[in-house]
Amino acid sequence: MPRPSRRTLAIAVIAAVLLVVGATLLIVRPWGDGDEPLELYGNIDIREVDLSFRVDGRVIEVLVDEGDTVRAGQVVAKLDAEPLQADLAEAEANTAAQRAQLDLLREGSRREDIAQAEATVAERRASLTNAQGDVDRLTTLRGTGAIAERSWLDAVSRRDEAAAQLRGAQQALSEQRAGTRRQEIQQAASNVDRAQAAAERIRIRVQDTVLLAPSDGTILTRAIENGANVSAGTTAFTQAIAQPVWARIFVDAANLGLVAPGAMVNITTDAAPDKIYRGRVGYVSPTAEFTPKSVETPELRTDLVYRARVIVLNPDSRLRQGMPITVQFADDGGPVRDQAR
């Protein structure tokens, strides 16, 4: 059998290389001729939040209804705050009293108080001097029969009482001159802090009687009416958040390399096929899963796919929760079309 020529071998090698390259292109770009962008399917995913009061109370005003558009910080409902306002007034009065007591201790003793304590000491010293004189006089007569023993004992008792009163007055004078102890001031300061914290806690509860929208969005459901008594944490409204609006799409393993975070896409809906929404891929799941039934492409319904999240950059009110969408990628993962109507 004749051996193949070098030319024949070269042609065979080139043919094998072309086959490998062609197969690789079919795997990487399975949609066909290279000019047609990759299309994926999914659904709009709009976040929702349940709004509720943080305090119990009676509803006195409901300012929004189902379908209303709200802005961040907008008042949507109010509770009767009068009982809490009365508690707040009492707490603020207690705070003022505790602060006044602290100021009094910090100022220390007044000159008038010290002068009064000094006068008391002088008075008690004079009383002790008189009582001691009586004891000395009666002592000289004791045993002569001129006085009864009982008179001498009474004089001694009065002297001892006067001495005790003098010691008490001297101690009070020392305290007045020394002023307030540091521990007493610290205790009074702690009482002020405790009173302020109690007042602030009630003040926050008063603020919580006003329910605010946390962000821009649309009220989906309303569960309260005027006059109703509601408990803290009970859902009053359900709100759809305006931003961000996401689209969940699913990509098969063959096209996974073309759906990278940061890739720009165009999004269309069946409801408004001429309206083009711009989007950016924000997340691609690292694990595979079965395609949800909501994806209306028969070829993918039973396949293992990877979930990706696309952030819609120019959403409007026509995008609704769960709405089916079509997402187009360019060959290089960039935007398919520049215009966005």
Side-chain angles (χ1 to χ4, degrees):
M1 183 175 180
R3 295 177 62 184
S5 64
R6 291 185 176 180
R7 182 178 181 182
T8 303
L9 290 175
I11 294 174
V13 170
I14 293 173
V17 171
L18 291 175
L19 287 175
V20 172
V21 172
T24 302
L25 290 174
L26 287 176
I27 293 174
V28 175
R29 298 172 65 189
W31 60 84
D33 58 9
D35 294 328
E36 181 181 354
L38 170 64
E39 284 191 351
L40 297 176
Y41 302 91
N43 303 89
I44 292 296
D45 188 6
I46 299 176
R47 286 183 176 181
E48 297 178 1
V49 59
D50 292 332
L51 309 185
S52 61
F53 291 98
R54 294 201 301 178
V55 294
D56 303 336
R58 180 173 59 87
V59 180
I60 60 171
E61 194 171 9
V62 180
L63 300 174
V64 295
D65 208 338
E66 295 179 358
D68 289 349
T69 299
V70 295
R71 296 293 183 184
Q74 178 178 338
V75 179
V76 296
K78 295 180 180 179
L79 297 180
D80 183 7
E82 185 173 350
L84 291 174
Q85 288 171 342
D87 293 340
L88 177 60
E90 180 181 358
E92 289 176 340
N94 180 51
T95 301
Q98 296 294 340
R99 187 177 291 109
Q101 179 64 23
L102 175 60
D103 293 340
L104 182 62
L105 293 176
R106 282 175 173 169
E107 288 180 1
S109 301
R110 297 178 302 171
R111 289 192 299 271
E112 294 84 354
D113 295 335
I114 296 176
Q116 182 178 359
E118 291 174 342
T120 301
V121 169
E123 180 183 352
R124 296 290 185 266
R125 184 176 287 113
S127 297
L128 175 60
T129 300
N130 292 333
Q132 184 62 48
D134 292 341
V135 171
D136 294 342
R137 181 175 54 82
L138 294 176
T139 299
T140 59
L141 299 175
R142 184 183 181 192
T144 64
I147 61 169
E149 182 69 13
R150 182 66 184 173
S151 298
W152 180 84
L153 292 175
D154 289 343
V156 171
S157 177
R158 289 192 295 271
R159 181 200 62 186
D160 294 341
E161 182 180 355
Q165 291 178 347
L166 176 59
R167 288 193 296 270
Q170 290 172 334
Q171 179 64 31
L173 176 58
S174 297
E175 292 177 356
Q176 290 286 352
R177 287 174 174 171
T180 307
R181 289 181 295 179
R182 177 174 53 86
Q183 294 83 352
E184 292 176 334
I185 294 177
Q186 290 177 344
Q187 182 180 9
S190 298
N191 291 337
V192 172
D193 293 340
R194 188 180 299 110
Q196 287 178 334
E200 182 62 24
R201 188 162 51 247
I202 299 175
R203 188 176 294 108
I204 293 174
R205 290 174 61 83
V206 171
Q207 295 173 353
D208 286 340
T209 61
V210 179
L211 184 58
L212 307 177
S215 60
D216 296 351
T218 303
I219 299 298
L220 299 181
T221 62
R222 164 182 166 176
I224 59 172
E225 298 294 337
N226 288 336
N229 289 315
V230 298
S231 301
T234 301
T235 299
F237 303 93
T238 299
Q239 176 187 336
I241 299 177
Q243 293 281 3
V245 175
W246 294 341
R248 296 189 183 274
I249 59 175
F250 299 88
V251 55
D252 59 317
N255 291 321
L256 185 60
L258 300 174
V259 183
M264 300 297 295
V265 300
N266 286 341
I267 303 170
T268 57
T269 65
D270 294 340
D274 293 333
K275 169 67 177 179
I276 300 173
Y277 299 94
R278 297 298 301 277
R280 182 178 65 248
V281 177
Y283 166 80
V284 180
S285 174
T287 58
E289 56 188 276
F290 286 102
T291 310
K293 295 180 181 179
S294 59
V295 177
E296 302 298 333
T297 53
E299 296 81 1
L300 295 178
R301 285 177 185 169
T302 59
D303 289 347
L304 282 174
V305 293
Y306 294 82
R307 176 169 50 89
R309 183 175 67 196
V310 175
I311 302 173
V312 183
L313 301 179
N314 58 330
D316 58 24
S317 59
R318 287 183 286 187
L319 295 179
R320 303 290 181 173
Q321 176 72 19
M323 177 181 288
I325 58 166
T326 300
V327 176
Q328 279 192 337
F329 289 77
D331 295 355
D332 58 357
V336 181
R337 289 166 283 185
D338 291 334
Q339 71 274 19
R341 301 172 191 170

